[in-house]
Amino acid sequence: MIIVIDGPAGSGKSSSARAIANRLNIQFLDSGALYRAVTWHWVQSQKPEFETFFKILPETELQTEYRDQTFFVSVNNKDITAEIRKHNVAKHVSKIASHPKIREFVNNYMRELVKEDVYVADGRDLGTAVFPDAELKFYMEASIKERAKRRFKELQQSDPGVTLQQVKENLEQRDHSDQTRAADPLKKADDAIVIDTTGKTFEEQIEEMIKIIEEQLKLKH
Ligand code: DC
């Protein structure tokens, strides 16, 4: 069973999915981390031409586990949980994630995984392309100003030189490329419930989502 949360960068979907997983004691699946893992593998393989990379992709083994509030990712038994957050992965991930063969590889992994347990997953295209039959779909939104402010605050520790304006511009660029790419763009599913987090506290928003999950999933039983 799966609950999906899609939305643009900085809308709060990842922290919401984690909070929901913790509250309901279910599994958390971070689909962006899988695209980052494949990107790490491509960088590690000396950034080959895509045709060459696609030959090694089928033999590539992904492993994931959510434990101690962390989504762990391994490629071919090497734990790369910290590596995938680094700039040399982040700067290539959009390009890698836009390729249909890479999307198919990641999607197949996710579809197999969720057969085993109950999951809440966050991404861009989960409700539309990957899990069109998900038991429950959320689409999270927040104003660009608020999303930029949140990301800026998060980056204060790791990237103190960055300005609010740079963060806002980066989010606008990512929104544009996520929404306009040919393969499975970011889009609200027709049957997704919209959660606009502008002006809400994190706790308020989680309460709202938990209430919806409890109501909706009870109705379906
Ligand atoms: O959520 P994130 O920033 O870790 O995602 C990393 C990249 O992966 C981002 O550029 C968008 C892409 N992505 C995607 O194309 N589809 C998803 N379901 C999740 C992420």
Side-chain angles (χ1 to χ4, degrees):
M1 194 197 102
I2 185 153
I3 299 166
V4 299
I5 308 180
D6 289 314
S11 58
K13 44 187 199 308
S14 172
S15 36
S16 301
R18 280 165 201 273
I20 289 168
N22 296 344
R23 274 278 293 271
L24 301 181
N25 205 16
I26 59 177
Q27 297 291 330
F28 164 57
L29 169 59
D30 177 348
S31 65
L34 301 178
Y35 286 103
R36 288 169 182 266
V38 174
T39 305
W40 175 87
H41 188 40
W42 178 76
V43 172
Q44 203 63 14
S45 315
Q46 314 298 326
K47 304 179 190 159
E49 293 294 325
F50 277 144
E51 287 315 313
T52 311
F53 188 56
F54 294 148
K55 291 201 183 105
I56 64 166
L57 200 54
E59 292 138 36
T60 304
E61 220 182 297
L62 293 178
Q63 287 112 3
T64 57
E65 189 187 0
Y66 183 55
R67 133 176 81 81
D68 304 331
Q69 314 284 320
T70 305
F71 186 76
F72 289 92
V73 190
S74 298
V75 168
N76 296 337
N77 294 313
K78 180 177 166 51
D79 181 352
I80 54 162
T81 306
E83 298 300 314
I84 62 169
R85 301 291 154 198
K86 294 188 176 162
H87 185 63
N88 69 337
V89 168
K91 74 178 179 202
H92 297 295
V93 67
S94 278
K95 183 176 78 182
I96 298 291
S98 67
H99 203 291
K101 280 201 180 145
I102 306 243
R103 301 200 71 79
E104 191 188 318
F105 176 79
V106 168
N107 291 347
N108 287 343
Y109 176 84
M110 291 195 284
R111 289 183 185 125
E112 281 304 309
L113 190 72
V114 307
K115 286 181 187 164
E116 312 266 309
D117 215 328
V118 180
Y119 278 86
V120 54
D122 81 296
R124 305 290 193 288
D125 61 336
L126 303 185
T128 49
V130 192
F131 300 108
D133 299 326
E135 276 73 8
L136 187 52
K137 301 176 186 176
F138 288 107
Y139 187 85
M140 296 192 64
E141 288 177 335
S143 69
I144 180 75
K145 211 170 138 196
E146 178 134 348
R147 289 189 285 131
K149 271 200 328 221
R150 285 182 198 155
R151 268 291 143 92
F152 178 64
K153 218 168 135 197
E154 278 169 22
L155 287 170
Q156 290 303 287
Q157 297 281 323
S158 61
D159 203 354
V162 77
T163 67
L164 181 59
Q165 185 58 23
Q166 281 170 331
V167 174
K168 183 166 169 275
E169 280 167 15
N170 176 265
L171 282 180
E172 281 167 342
Q173 276 162 14
R174 287 177 58 182
D175 283 356
H176 181 75
S177 71
D178 284 347
Q179 284 161 359
T180 56
R181 70 166 175 236
D184 304 333
L186 166 67
K187 196 167 154 275
K188 185 187 100 58
D190 292 337
D191 51 351
I193 297 170
V194 176
I195 305 287
D196 189 331
T197 65
T198 312
K200 280 183 198 145
T201 67
F202 186 66
E203 288 69 29
E204 284 169 347
Q205 161 210 321
I206 296 302
E207 283 312 317
E208 182 183 345
M209 294 173 86
I210 295 277
K211 204 165 152 234
I212 294 171
I213 294 169
E214 287 175 347
E215 280 169 12
Q216 295 279 324
L217 296 185
K218 214 179 321 151
L219 284 179
K220 288 192 181 176
H221 285 310

